[in-house]
Amino acid sequence: IKLNQMNKFIILAVLLLSTVLAAETLPFKVRNDLGERFRIIDKATEEGYRRIRVRMDLDSNLSLLETATTICFESDSSFSLSDGAKGFGMTFMCAIHECTSNTHLHTLLFGSQYYNGGYWAGAGIDASHTNIGVHHLEDGTNPDAGFKMEAALAESINLPVLDNEVDTHYKCFTNYRGSYVEDNLLVDIHLDGDWESHDIVLPAHVE
């Protein structure tokens, strides 16, 4: 009888774990030849809000006024962008001599759009104030921050819907050795040769 009860318990535990894993949202990931460079993960929160965790992978610590930026726009299925394409941008900025910890980094999180054949339109909707702190106090080469905001604000800054069952295509641009003067999400940015481009499809398990 005890063995039968134990078997039932094991089966129940497996079913519960399977349900949790099935419900877990896949992350939004940007990769290159060096591996994963940027990700957004949805975290559980109360109804009407959205809580995300953003993480980057850098080759070295940022120095004074250096930035690491990822900008993504919704595209068509061929990853072509049209004027007015909705986008969001995330920047980590160093404001001291050398940022050797995530606590030294400032964050910018904006929603904006693509325009005029290769520009990020600056001065979009700012959600930087929703930062709720870092998750890991690492050496600064893995910038890591959490944000919590109302669902309406998340939608207004064009954050990707990670659990959408319909494929959504994105063209992303990264520059992990920029300067605050040039790569400030408050101003227009020309996504030229200094920016590496990436083609992303959500759901994120589609590579």
Side-chain angles (χ1 to χ4, degrees), residues 31-153:
R31 302 176 60 88
N32 65 9
D33 293 340
L34 299 176
E36 186 175 296
R37 307 294 275 176
F38 174 80
R39 70 160 45 198
I40 298 176
I41 305 171
D42 261 328
K43 311 294 286 187
T45 188
E46 62 265 33
E47 186 177 354
Y49 285 82
R50 184 145 177 217
R51 187 161 65 94
I52 63 169
R53 178 181 174 187
V54 180
R55 188 177 177 93
M56 291 187 190
D57 181 68
L58 309 180
D59 297 327
S60 60
N61 292 326
L62 298 175
S63 299
L64 182 63
L65 295 184
E66 285 187 331
T67 61
T69 302
T70 297
I71 296 172
C72 296
F73 304 96
E74 290 188 29
S75 70
D76 62 22
S77 59
S78 63
F79 302 104
S80 297
L81 294 173
S82 59
D83 281 358
K86 295 179 180 179
F88 68 93
M90 175 72 207
T91 284
F92 288 97
M93 182 195 74
C94 182
I96 63 174
H97 177 68
E98 183 181 9
C99 289
T100 57
S101 167
N102 287 339
T103 58
H104 299 154
L105 295 165
H106 292 253
T107 60
L108 293 170
L109 178 63
F110 276 81
S112 190
Q113 60 187 8
Y114 178 91
Y115 81 101
N116 197 25
Y119 280 86
W120 159 271
I125 298 175
D126 183 5
S128 305
H129 62 281
T130 64
N131 188 343
I132 55 176
V134 300
H135 287 263
H136 292 288
L137 306 182
E138 298 186 22
D139 64 1
T141 60
N142 295 111
D144 189 316
F147 297 86
K148 180 181 178 181
M149 66 196 77
E150 293 183 354
L153 177 58

Side-chain angles (χ1 to χ4, degrees), residues 71-73 75 79 81 169-173 197-200:
I71 296 172
C72 296
F73 304 96
S75 70
F79 302 104
L81 294 173
H169 295 74
Y170 287 86
K171 172 74 77 173
C172 294
F173 298 86
S197 66
H198 312 265
D199 297 336
I200 309 296

